[in-house]
Amino acid sequence: MTGPEFDTEFCHQLDELLHWRRDVRHFRTDAISDELIQSLLKKAMMAPSVGFSQPWRWVVVNSEDGRAAVRREFEKCNIEALQGYSGEIAGRYSKLKLSGLAEAPVQVAVFVNTRSSTGRGLGQQTMPETRIWSVVVAIHTLWLAARAVGLGLGWVSILNPGSMESLLEVPPDWRFLAYLCIGWPDGECEIPLLERAGWEAKLANEEVVFYR
């Protein structure tokens, strides 16, 4: 059996997909079918995982009570985060739109199962954190799959993990990693939002790639 071959056109489209992937904060409120979301989650779970542990756990938050609780948690954590800055930087932070919680039609909390026996611990004896990394790879796979069909995804990280685990009533072995807002983006731009807002500039290759 031979694997597929990817031609030059496909490689170009992959470059475009990677280039145009954005952390989206501005969404339209148009509904998204459950079939499409389930299809995207299935693609996300094609990501590699250490020891084939498949440690990702997805909680689709549909209830208004659940979403309202998440918004309150974000607002509390965002105020606390702002207090960690001062002067001009605090001013910039206060103007940033850091979530799409009010608009995104689909919201998914992502957890890692820290005690699952799936995979029998293979590859995790010296680096147990590889379970977390496996879930992060699945999130990135979901990000690309969503962008490929025109959807935007925003990762909300200004949340307290313990609070999220409590308010979503997940098993004690699940650790909160991410809250994802998914929807049709309200506009497109090839420059990342935080770069456009003057928060940070993209690092050059020579600043992050080293040789030994």
Side-chain angles (χ1 to χ4, degrees), residues 46-116:
M46 295 174 69
S49 62
V50 60
F52 203 37
S53 57
Q54 306 156 75
W56 37 71
R57 300 294 183 268
W58 317 85
V59 177
V60 181
V61 183
N62 285 328
S63 73
E64 186 48 47
D65 286 346
R67 292 189 178 196
V70 173
R71 289 196 297 272
R72 288 193 296 269
E73 176 63 20
F74 168 80
E75 289 163 4
K76 177 177 73 71
C77 292
N78 196 36
I79 291 172
E80 294 171 354
L82 175 59
Q83 293 171 351
Y85 299 102
S86 62
E88 179 189 355
I89 298 301
R92 289 188 191 181
Y93 184 95
S94 66
K95 295 176 182 178
L96 295 173
K97 180 174 172 54
L98 297 173
S99 87
L101 292 170
E103 306 90 4
V106 176
Q107 299 180 22
V108 182
V110 190
F111 299 82
V112 57
N113 188 330
T114 62
R115 298 291 295 276
S116 171

Side-chain angles (χ1 to χ4, degrees), residues 114-176:
T114 62
R115 298 291 295 276
S116 171
S117 61
T118 306
R120 300 179 177 82
L122 178 64
Q124 303 163 54
Q125 303 305 314
T126 55
M127 300 178 71
E129 63 271 25
T130 49
R131 282 196 185 211
I132 295 174
W133 300 345
S134 297
V135 180
V136 172
V137 174
I139 292 171
H140 187 248
T141 303
L142 174 62
W143 221 323
L144 295 178
R147 183 64 185 85
V149 296
L151 286 169
L153 184 152
W155 182 330
V156 183
S157 60
I158 307 173
L159 296 163
N160 182 282
S163 298
M164 293 298 292
E165 291 156 11
S166 177
L167 70 86
L168 293 176
E169 301 179 337
V170 298
D173 293 337
W174 291 17
R175 177 179 170 188
F176 175 75

Side-chain angles (χ1 to χ4, degrees), residues 31-49:
I32 302 171
S33 71
D34 185 61
E35 290 77 13
L36 178 54
I37 293 302
Q38 292 301 321
S39 172
L40 293 175
L41 290 175
K42 186 177 294 186
K43 292 176 183 178
M45 291 182 280
M46 295 174 69
S49 62

